[in-house]
Amino acid sequence: MGKLAFVPAAVGFWLGVMFLLILDRTVPHLHLNSSSAEGMKSSLQKTTMLVLAVTMHNLPEGMAVGVVYAGWLSENDGITLTGALVLSLGIAIQNFPEGAIVSMLLQTEGASRKKAFLYGAVSGVVEPLGAVLTIAAAGLVTPLLPYLLSFAAGAMIYVVVEELIPEMSEGNHSNVGTVLFAVGFTVMMALDVSLG
């Protein structure tokens, strides 16, 4: 990445982090192994909020797939069809256990088998939708591709830190660790560009 390309990448990255931070603050959802809901107050059932949390997690995954396919469709030299297929296959494979976990949790909360399966599947529907919308947006404005790639990266890093690193979410839920992780990532990228 050249020094001039760092600025759009950093802007896109932070837009992705902020987008997911806003979703985290506004959409009512429930994290696994948590008894208190996050987001705006609502009267939604516990199971619905759990599905919303997984759906929020799946949105940036779909965006990442969409951006890679958009790059391939725009004949970007660095993106191959094989690379795009491998990324989408990898994300699809991890969605099977994720959907199964959602379905099993919903069933233990009292949902019927059919309803639990349906909600587990629906939580992943946002992924192809996010991919198609991202491909459509990138197809209209190809110069935005670096921003979209870094936006997806920022959103994915937010999800990884927020949801998959349990130490960041222990105790009273806070976004401080997630934001500081993103600051550290930006500093490391700046050092890589300026010194590399």
Side-chain angles (χ1 to χ4, degrees), residues 54 60 73 142 144:
V54 174
L73 289 171
T142 304
L144 289 180

Side-chain angles (χ1 to χ4, degrees), residues 10-194:
V11 168
F13 172 80
W14 277 100
L15 286 174
V17 170
M18 296 308 296
F19 175 71
L20 265 290
L21 187 59
I22 290 167
L23 280 181
D24 190 45
R25 292 287 186 181
T26 56
V27 175
H29 62 283
L30 189 65
H31 293 273
L32 294 174
N33 302 324
S34 177
S35 58
S36 61
E38 280 189 39
M40 294 175 18
K41 292 192 185 288
S42 77
S43 59
L44 294 174
Q45 293 179 345
K46 192 175 182 180
T47 54
T48 305
M49 287 192 288
L50 179 63
V51 171
L52 283 172
V54 174
T55 303
M56 279 183 359
H57 158 91
N58 283 335
L59 181 63
E61 288 178 2
M63 291 168 55
V65 169
V67 166
V68 171
Y69 276 102
W72 173 71
L73 289 171
S74 69
E75 299 176 355
N76 184 316
D77 291 336
I79 300 174
T80 64
L81 178 59
T82 304
L85 286 171
V86 167
L87 175 69
S88 56
L89 182 63
I91 289 178
I93 288 170
Q94 68 89 31
N95 279 335
F96 283 105
E98 187 176 85
I101 288 170
V102 169
S103 296
M104 288 186 292
L105 285 171
L106 292 174
Q107 195 171 4
T108 60
E109 290 289 324
S112 69
R113 279 185 165 193
K114 286 181 182 179
K115 187 175 181 180
F117 177 79
L118 179 67
Y119 277 24
V122 166
S123 70
V125 168
V126 73
E127 240 174 81
L129 182 65
V132 168
L133 291 175
T134 304
I135 289 170
L140 295 173
V141 192
T142 304
L144 289 180
L145 200 56
Y147 290 100
L148 292 172
L149 273 168
S150 54
F151 181 90
M156 288 293 290
I157 286 175
Y158 181 91
V159 167
V160 166
V161 174
E162 175 75 8
E163 303 297 335
L164 302 179
I165 301 177
E167 294 81 5
M168 293 283 187
S169 301
E170 281 186 3
N172 231 357
H173 190 72
S174 168
N175 292 317
V176 173
T178 305
V179 172
L180 290 177
F181 183 91
V183 168
F185 181 82
T186 305
V187 169
M188 290 305 294
M189 287 301 296
L191 289 173
D192 181 50
V193 169
S194 63

